[in-house]
Every structure is written in C-alpha cells, then in structure tokens.
Amino acid sequence: MKKTNIVLLGFMGSGKSLTANKLGKICRKKVVSTDIRIEQKEKRAIAEIFETSGESYFRAVEKKVVQEIAQERGVIVDCGGGVVLDPVNMDLLSQSGILIYLSASAEAIFKNIKNTRHRPLLNVADPLGKIKELLAVRGPLYARADYTIETDHKTLDEVCEEIKDIVKGKI
Ligand code: S3P
C-alpha cells in the first residue's frame, strides 16, 4: 500500500505538536495526535492515566490508538515520544507513512519542558538527567525513522519547509 501519511517522531518537548499543527495548516492536511486520541478514548488526562493505571496500561492504549491511526490516509501523525518503544507500532506507522524524526538536544528539550507539568515521565527531581537517560535508550529507536531533522537552532517555519521538501513527490 502506498504511504500517504507524514509521521512525526521525537522526544517529548521536541516540538512535534507545534510542527504537526503548523504543517497541517500549510499543507491543508488533517493532524492526528496519538496523545489526544488516548485522552479522548480514556476520557482522562495522560498524567492521570499514568498515575492511576500505570505506564504499561498507557502503552497498551497507545498501541491500540496507533493501530487505528495507521489505517488513516493522508494525515499528519503527531506521535507521543514513546511510540517508538514498541516495534509493532513502528512497523504499522512505517507502512502508513514517511517517518520523520525531529531530533533535539537534551538541553533544548529541557528548555521546552521545564515549565510544564503534564508529562509524568519528566515530573522528577532531575528532569534534565532523566531526559539524557531516556534519550540514550531511545536514540537508536528514533534512528529507525526514514529522515532525521535536527531542530536545534531552527525556526518552526524552517522545520516545516524541510518536511515539505522531504515529502514532495513521495506521498
Ligand atoms: C511520552 C510522551 C508523551 C506522552 C506520555 C509519554 C513518552 O507525549 O505520550 O507522556 O514516553 O515519551 P509527547 O512526546 O507528545 O510529550
């Protein structure tokens, strides 16, 4: 089946949602967020899912949502940072679209998330240390993407332009 989706991968706070929404406006494409779908399905916030049902329950719901979204055609997918942990997620997403990893340094990520509270994995005493630890584990998984865009020192518009160039003629 021809790939028709643009799938944005990347660590928490790397700008996937901002990029997906901006790109959606520019390209007039529907944006689908795994996190928003999960919250809609569960009728509760992600932090609450982690707190009361645990991470493994969250990952199971995330997997179902990825299965659903991978059936959609011509959309931009804003993936939660942890979708890469499950190889089945990666297979389905990669069959449905072009995988683009928005890569950011731990320091840039920390700057983006330091005043937010909605990401349970980073609500810890040393968020920068935790970012570095998770990035070390996940780096090789994000590397499965078809393309990587280094986002440090780039504007949102520049990142969107790069994505448009990447997907031109391919989807
Ligand atoms: C997670 C990333 C979050 C959200 C959840 C877990 C992760 O999404 O799915 O808090 O494991 O990286 P964002 O990357 O959109 O923040």
Side-chain angles (χ1 to χ4, degrees), residues 12 16 35 46 50 58-59 62 80-82 119-121 138:
M12 294 170 267
K16 292 171 302 229
D35 284 348
I46 285 172
F50 267 76
F58 172 83
R59 296 295 171 205
E62 184 175 58
R119 295 182 177 94
L121 294 176
R138 294 180 180 184

Side-chain angles (χ1 to χ4, degrees), residues 102-122:
L102 301 185
S103 165
S105 65
E107 289 71 22
I109 290 167
F110 178 64
K111 209 169 140 220
N112 290 341
I113 64 96
K114 68 177 192 291
N115 296 318
T116 66
R117 280 281 157 271
H118 62 280
R119 295 182 177 94
L121 294 176
L122 300 180

Side-chain angles (χ1 to χ4, degrees), residues 36-159:
I36 292 176
R37 278 280 173 97
I38 292 166
E39 291 186 332
Q40 285 169 343
K41 236 187 204 336
E42 288 287 308
K43 298 188 180 60
R44 52 189 177 146
I46 285 172
E48 202 190 323
I49 302 174
F50 267 76
E51 203 175 305
T52 53
S53 308
E55 180 171 352
S56 60
Y57 177 86
F58 172 83
R59 296 295 171 205
V61 181
E62 184 175 58
K63 189 168 185 162
K64 270 191 217 137
V65 161
V66 167
Q67 274 164 5
E68 282 171 22
I69 291 177
Q71 307 294 317
E72 299 198 23
R73 314 267 304 149
V75 298
I76 298 170
V77 189
D78 168 16
C79 294
V83 300
V84 295
L85 296 169
D86 188 321
V88 176
N89 288 346
M90 291 300 274
D91 287 341
L92 291 173
L93 290 167
S94 136
Q95 282 159 24
S96 77
I98 299 176
L99 306 184
I100 301 179
Y101 169 37
L102 301 185
S103 165
S105 65
E107 289 71 22
I109 290 167
F110 178 64
K111 209 169 140 220
N112 290 341
I113 64 96
K114 68 177 192 291
N115 296 318
T116 66
R117 280 281 157 271
H118 62 280
R119 295 182 177 94
L121 294 176
L122 300 180
N123 283 341
V124 293
D126 174 19
L128 181 58
K130 186 73 185 177
I131 292 167
K132 287 181 178 164
E133 182 191 315
L134 288 174
L135 266 180
V137 174
R138 294 180 180 184
L141 305 175
Y142 291 127
R144 264 199 70 186
D146 301 305
Y147 299 89
T148 295
I149 299 180
E150 307 287 347
T151 61
D152 284 13
H153 315 299
K154 283 186 191 144
T155 65
L156 184 56
D157 285 339
E158 284 167 342
V159 173

Side-chain angles (χ1 to χ4, degrees), residues 2-6 29 75 96-98 167-171:
K2 190 178 184 298
K3 297 179 185 216
T4 61
N5 296 341
I6 300 172
K29 282 181 186 288
V75 298
S96 77
I98 299 176
V167 302
K168 199 184 280 171
K170 297 195 185 81
I171 55 171

